Amino acid sequence: MRLVLVGPPGAGKGTQAEFIAENFTIPKISTGDIFRANVSGGTDLGKLAKKFMDAGDLVPDEVTNAMVRDRLGEPDASDGFLLDGFPRNVAQAYELDSMLNDLGSSLDVVLELEVEHEEVVKRLSGRRTCRNCGHVWHLEYDPPTVVGVCDRCSGELYQRDDDFPETVRHRLEVYSAQTSPLIEFYISRKQLVRIDALGAVEDVTDRAIAALSAARS
Ligand SMILES: [Zn+2]
């Protein structure tokens, strides 16, 4: 199973990535992890990336592409993988094709987690974070016993800037604008599978596994 996972912020992509990868016994490869591994491992690419980051610049696509290429060439990815965070655009999608082609394989499927935007706004804007221990509560799904107070450590709860409804809506709009050409690209290739990512974590995982198994057969 060679799989790319796509989904908006707040869709629980990180959690689903773990469970799906575990189910198919494939490594979960995220661009964040690849970056950290290269930078902390002091590879040439890591040093190059760090130079851009230290200067406050975006790491160029070529550097990211080279890191992903290296990672996909590692033995544990030879029988499949779940890619999270790559490709981000159509140019990178073509790059991924070329990487896999060089490795003698190809992409099986792109799974998109779909959630209604206002549902994400509701989910994220209900979060309250403890200033003391960092635990995240939710006004609706996991409320603290006393309003504004952490059950674990009695610390003060607050709403992170990232969780303000306007901020969440903005992030979702940016995501849609950036991702829709990529989604269209994979639809035209008949490689896109969509699932509803609303509901309990286990239910979403079951839905994802069923959809992926069907897509593969
Ligand atoms: Zn606390």
Side-chain angles (χ1 to χ4, degrees):
M1 174 70 73
R2 294 183 177 82
L3 158 71
V4 167
L5 185 63
V6 186
K13 185 158 64 88
T15 310
Q16 292 304 332
E18 298 280 350
F19 290 141
I20 295 167
E22 197 180 294
N23 183 272
F24 291 103
T25 350
I26 49 177
K28 176 184 88 76
I29 300 178
S30 79
T31 39
D33 291 343
I34 297 179
F35 261 79
R36 276 186 289 277
N38 275 278
V39 172
S40 69
T43 65
D44 288 344
L45 287 170
K47 285 178 196 155
L48 190 58
K50 198 169 178 300
K51 225 185 272 176
F52 288 102
M53 290 188 284
D54 287 347
D57 293 328
L58 280 175
V59 177
D61 267 10
E62 303 82 72
V63 178
T64 307
N65 293 349
M67 286 185 186
V68 173
R69 181 180 281 275
D70 281 357
R71 181 65 188 86
L72 292 180
E74 284 175 29
D76 68 328
S78 63
D79 284 332
F81 54 78
L82 180 156
L83 252 185
D84 174 9
F86 190 96
R88 285 206 182 280
N89 51 49
V90 175
Q92 286 185 338
Y94 281 116
E95 192 62 33
L96 178 61
D97 278 347
S98 129
M99 294 175 195
L100 293 175
N101 189 48
D102 291 348
L103 290 165
S105 68
S106 60
L107 187 65
D108 291 315
V109 62
V110 176
L111 178 68
E112 185 185 24
L113 303 179
E114 274 196 309
V115 274
E116 218 207 307
H117 283 193
E118 279 313 301
E119 189 54 41
V120 175
V121 172
K122 198 171 121 191
R123 265 195 216 177
L124 296 188
S125 63
R127 306 206 301 179
R128 293 295 180 273
T129 307
C130 175
R131 281 194 198 282
N132 184 46
C133 73
H135 186 77
V136 181
W137 301 89
H138 196 284
L139 297 181
E140 199 173 329
Y141 311 126
D142 185 20
T145 313
V146 180
V147 176
V149 180
C150 180
D151 277 22
R152 294 193 167 180
C153 74
S154 304
E156 185 200 351
L157 303 182
Y158 76 109
Q159 186 173 30
R160 292 173 50 217
D161 290 355
D162 272 2
D163 295 339
F164 287 154
E166 316 80 76
T167 317
V168 176
R169 279 193 196 100
H170 178 70
R171 278 164 61 206
L172 287 165
E173 280 160 21
V174 170
Y175 166 85
S176 291
Q178 287 177 343
T179 315
S180 61
L182 183 68
I183 297 296
E184 292 304 322
F185 173 79
Y186 283 123
I187 289 175
S188 74
R189 288 254 189 118
K190 300 189 170 32
Q191 284 182 307
L192 191 84
V193 170
R194 281 183 166 134
I195 61 154
D196 180 5
L198 201 61
V201 172
E202 316 80 76
D203 295 344
V204 177
T205 308
D206 289 349
R207 233 173 275 156
I209 290 165
L212 290 170
S213 305
R216 189 167 55 166
S217 60

